[in-house]
Amino acid sequence: MAQGNAGRRRVLIVEDEALIALDIESTLSAAGFEVVGHAPTLAAAIAAAKTEAIDAAILDVSLARQQVWPAAKILVERGIPILFLTGFANEPFPPPFDTASKLEKPCPLEVLVARLTALFPT
């Protein structure tokens, strides 16, 4: 794993709504995570998925009406845990994401932190 400063878990946020991304970043930082970046577009998400040294990623499914699946596929291939945060949580996700961890927007931020923490073995 790519744990950063003092063993903090490194997390990528993929979210096209800037205010939501800032709320998530602030909450994760306060909870002891290191946010390594914010990807607001599919292209940025794909680039980050390929190159960032991260321990997990929080992905919005729809980025400006583009589906995040190509970036998610790269993360899965790298063995990086994903938490989907989406307004489409009740819709079926395509394999291999159909069993992935997901939360529906809006989501209490303490629930987001708990679910993200649960992605890591103790």
Side-chain angles (χ1 to χ4, degrees), residues 13-52:
I13 300 170
V14 176
E15 171 61 60
D16 61 346
E17 296 287 336
L19 291 178
I20 293 172
L22 288 172
D23 279 348
I24 294 170
E25 181 174 353
S26 175
T27 299
L28 294 182
S29 293
F33 290 94
E34 180 181 348
V35 176
V36 297
H38 163 224
T41 66
L42 180 58
I46 289 171
K50 288 179 179 178
T51 62
E52 288 292 340

Side-chain angles (χ1 to χ4, degrees), residues 53-78:
I54 57 175
D55 297 303
I58 297 173
L59 306 178
D60 184 3
V61 171
S62 180
L63 303 170
R65 299 188 182 157
Q66 290 186 302
Q67 301 296 297
V68 76
W69 310 131
K73 182 177 185 280
I74 294 165
L75 293 166
V76 167
E77 288 170 351
R78 290 183 60 198

Side-chain angles (χ1 to χ4, degrees), residues 69 72-73 76 84 92-100:
W69 310 131
K73 182 177 185 280
V76 167
F84 289 103
F93 285 11
F97 313 113
D98 50 345
T99 59

